Amino acid sequence: MRQRTEATIVKHPTVYRLIENIEKVVVGKSREIELSLVALLSGGHVLLEDVPGVGKTMMVRALAKSVGADYKRIQFTPDLLPSDVTGVSVFSQKTMEFHFRPGPVMSNIVLADEINRTSPKTQAALLEALEEGSVTTDGETRELQQPFMVMATQNPIEYGGTYPLPEAQLDRFLFKFKIGYPSKEEELEVLTRVESHHPISDIQPVLSLEDVLTMKHETKKVVVNNTVKQYIIAIVNATREHGSVYLGASPRASIALMKAGQAFAYMQNREFVIPDDIKYLAPYALQHRVILNSEAKLSSMTNERIIYEVVNQVHVPGGKEIAR
């Protein structure tokens, strides 16, 4: 198991137990698991952008099984229709009535696999679910199960036949991050674990959905004082003023960063958010919310690098520079 850094160590006993359970399947990805739990507790969603085969699907499945959640996987393809995501009304000749058949999005944890391979019309079917926690079909709005979280994946290598997510869709994801390749030692551990059977079959719930809802409620009670709020605003405003940025982060980004800070502080067993929480989370919460100008793109500048520059330029009393 990978050694956690001081910045990411989880002190809440219940959350720590949940992470340990997921790590029975996912090797060496403590930070990525923790960020996923921040999203779950804050009511956010995650975009995983990485190459195939690094464990994205397995991490989502292990998380769902660990909390006893209803889990669905949607394989996004060019011919997928919006009704394939949200559900459809079917006429029954037996009852002579229409009956609604829920789509896979009406689950607790949804894996939207290769979301950039489907049409914008189908991508848009997720917008209401991501933001409002509901779907509208046949003129009727239906509330989604709670807790509800979408973890979407996309392959950053193969762009042929894909439909890049528009900014409006990207902005509805709390975090964007990569899983990354394991180290040699971690990959050896993976081979050892799956030699006779896959450990995902042995995963048992360590929390119930009621426990998760209780934790989400407690997360909202975490205090964010004005100093921290002003720090969030300073970071977000700095993205708008950066010379390499065409379009900076929106006020929705400020709200997302604050809610993520509350969840992260709760996972540290604290009743208040500190500036270092925000500094740690900002790169994951902001890199997909800015658009670089043409000069920055031509000079091979990346969104991630811009956000790290911004975060390290905004002063934090007692804070440390974060490594890229």
Side-chain angles (χ1 to χ4, degrees):
M1 187 179 299
R2 186 178 66 176
Q3 184 69 32
R4 295 190 182 89
T5 64
E6 183 180 354
T8 63
I9 188 169
V10 170
K11 299 177 182 178
H12 194 290
T14 304
V15 180
Y16 189 84
R17 187 169 75 251
L18 177 58
I19 291 174
E20 284 192 315
N21 199 56
I22 299 172
E23 287 182 332
K24 293 177 182 178
V25 176
V26 183
V27 179
K29 302 300 176 186
S30 302
R31 178 171 298 186
E32 290 74 19
I33 295 171
E34 291 159 6
L35 290 171
S36 299
L37 293 181
V38 169
L40 178 64
L41 294 180
S42 62
H45 311 283
V46 175
L47 179 61
L48 302 171
E49 185 177 71
D50 218 327
V51 296
V54 293
K56 300 186 295 294
T57 301
M58 206 53 58
M59 184 175 73
V60 182
R61 288 183 60 191
L63 170 58
K65 293 191 70 171
S66 295
V67 298
D70 185 16
Y71 162 79
K72 291 291 190 300
R73 176 179 179 270
I74 308 173
Q75 181 63 54
F76 282 85
T77 56
D79 60 347
L80 197 72
L81 299 175
S83 59
D84 295 328
V85 175
T86 60
V88 63
S89 293
V90 179
F91 183 75
S92 172
Q93 292 185 339
K94 184 176 181 180
T95 62
M96 302 301 290
E97 295 178 344
F98 282 95
H99 298 278
F100 179 70
R101 289 185 179 177
V105 76
M106 302 189 76
S107 304
N108 297 122
I109 296 180
V110 178
L111 174 62
D113 209 2
E114 295 190 287
I115 190 173
N116 58 332
R117 292 204 173 276
T118 196
S119 67
K121 184 176 182 179
T122 304
Q123 291 174 358
L126 277 178
L127 284 176
E128 183 183 3
L130 290 172
E131 186 67 17
E132 305 295 338
S134 63
V135 295
T136 301
T137 57
D138 301 326
E140 182 179 348
T141 299
R142 296 175 171 87
E143 297 295 324
L144 298 177
Q145 302 180 45
Q146 294 297 326
F148 171 71
M149 179 172 70
V150 172
M151 298 189 75
T153 72
Q154 60 181 12
N155 185 349
I157 304 300
E158 299 175 355
Y159 286 109
T162 63
Y163 304 87
L165 292 175
E167 284 68 33
Q169 183 108 344
L170 285 172
D171 203 31
R172 284 167 169 79
F173 287 97
L174 176 67
F175 290 145
K176 177 185 175 185
F177 57 84
K178 299 179 180 180
I179 298 293
Y181 287 117
S183 66
K184 292 180 179 179
E185 294 77 13
E186 292 166 351
E187 195 160 1
L188 177 61
E189 177 66 20
V190 170
L191 296 181
T192 302
R193 292 188 185 187
V194 302
E195 186 174 0
S196 57
H197 75 288
H198 204 291
I200 190 67
S201 59
D202 299 329
I203 288 289
Q204 298 296 323
V206 295
L207 293 179
S208 66
L209 290 179
E210 290 72 22
D211 294 330
V212 175
L213 291 173
T214 298
M215 293 166 67
K216 288 186 65 175
H217 180 71
E218 293 172 347
T219 294
K220 295 178 182 179
K221 298 179 181 179
V222 175
V223 176
V224 186
N225 63 32
N226 282 335
T227 299
V228 174
K229 291 176 182 176
Q230 290 169 359
Y231 177 56
I232 293 172
I233 293 171
I235 291 177
V236 173
N237 270 275
T239 67
R240 302 166 188 167
E241 298 170 357
H242 195 284
S244 298
V245 174
Y246 170 71
L247 185 66
S250 68
R252 183 186 283 130
S254 302
I255 297 171
L257 192 51
M258 181 183 71
K259 290 185 178 295
Q262 287 178 294
F264 189 74
Y266 177 81
M267 290 170 59
Q268 313 311 312
N269 220 18
R270 276 190 272 105
E271 297 179 351
F272 54 91
V273 180
I274 61 176
D276 279 346
D277 296 338
I278 303 302
K279 187 169 187 176
Y280 171 70
L281 295 169
Y284 307 105
L286 299 180
Q287 62 175 290
H288 57 293
R289 301 176 190 268
V290 300
I291 301 176
L292 304 187
N293 58 33
S294 55
E295 291 82 2
K297 292 177 181 178
L298 289 173
S299 61
S300 300
M301 189 73 74
T302 64
N303 291 40
E304 185 179 16
R305 181 178 171 184
I306 292 296
I307 298 302
Y308 275 105
E309 286 183 3
V310 165
V311 172
N312 286 322
Q313 287 170 1
V314 178
H315 177 67
V316 185
K320 299 178 181 178
E321 184 174 292
I322 53 178
R324 290 212 304 257

